[in-house]
Amino acid sequence: MIHDGFNPFAAIRFHVPEAFKDTLTKYTVTAASLGDESIFNRQMDCFLFSAAIGAREETWIDNDKLSDGLHGFADGNVLKLPEVEFLYLIALQKDESNYEVIQDPSRIVKIAEGYAAHGIRRLDEMIGKGSLDPVSNLSRGIKKLLKG
């Protein structure tokens, strides 16, 4: 449950499909790479944005059934309170008939990872599609996504 300042995900490792670990890094600002494609300040920001795309498109992938494995990239201790709340919301979207889902932080993370597994593919497509800079391409892709 959400309590002021409590992060139930602090000790849980977050994952993306192994095939997309480079995508996660490519679009994230790091001390080593301040390239033109860097859009997100943290890998967790890229992950959460990808999860939002997956949730918007209502496409969830069971990462346990992927053949290429998973890449752990961050622990949940980096999450801020609004991000914790966001994870609860997308878990409820996926499992809206079962409110007990919010009592299981590991299950909530699995749901977010499933949405992100789809969303990171779409994120990569949106950024790569078009002849503009990555941020502009992503903006156009999100605008189309929101128009439905």
Side-chain angles (χ1 to χ4, degrees):
M1 295 296 239
I2 298 177
H3 302 287
D4 288 337
F6 178 68
N7 177 358
F9 311 108
I12 300 174
R13 190 89 173 144
F14 284 72
H15 300 86
V16 293
E18 190 71 35
F20 287 93
K21 73 177 184 181
D22 291 337
T23 302
L24 194 66
T25 304
K26 179 169 61 170
Y27 299 130
T28 303
V29 175
T30 62
S33 67
L34 292 173
D36 293 335
E37 294 182 315
S38 298
I39 296 172
F40 301 97
N41 289 327
R42 308 176 303 163
Q43 289 184 347
M44 184 59 79
D45 297 332
C46 185
F47 172 85
L48 294 170
F49 196 81
S50 297
I53 292 170
R56 170 67 180 174
E57 293 187 339
E58 297 181 351
T59 305
W60 185 83
I61 295 171
D62 186 350
N63 286 329
D64 292 336
K65 295 182 179 177
L66 294 176
S67 60
D68 64 347
L70 296 173
H71 167 71
F73 68 92
D75 292 329
N77 63 351
V78 302
L79 294 169
K80 299 170 187 147
L81 185 58
E83 297 163 339
V84 168
E85 293 169 345
F86 168 74
L87 291 173
Y88 279 105
L89 291 173
I90 63 171
L92 287 170
Q93 176 184 327
K94 168 89 171 75
D95 207 349
E96 63 189 45
S97 64
N98 182 6
Y99 294 109
E100 291 178 6
V101 69
I102 64 171
Q103 296 178 13
D104 186 350
S106 295
R107 190 164 160 207
I108 293 169
V109 170
K110 288 271 185 217
I111 290 170
E113 289 174 345
Y115 280 134
H118 169 74
I120 200 163
R121 289 174 170 85
R122 293 285 291 125
L123 176 76
D124 203 29
E125 289 170 10
M126 288 180 201
I127 293 172
K129 189 175 186 178
S131 57
L132 302 174
D133 63 281
V135 173
S136 298
N137 287 341
L138 179 59
S139 294
R140 284 186 174 184
I142 294 301
K143 187 175 180 180
K144 288 178 186 175
L145 176 68
L146 294 176
K147 283 186 177 182

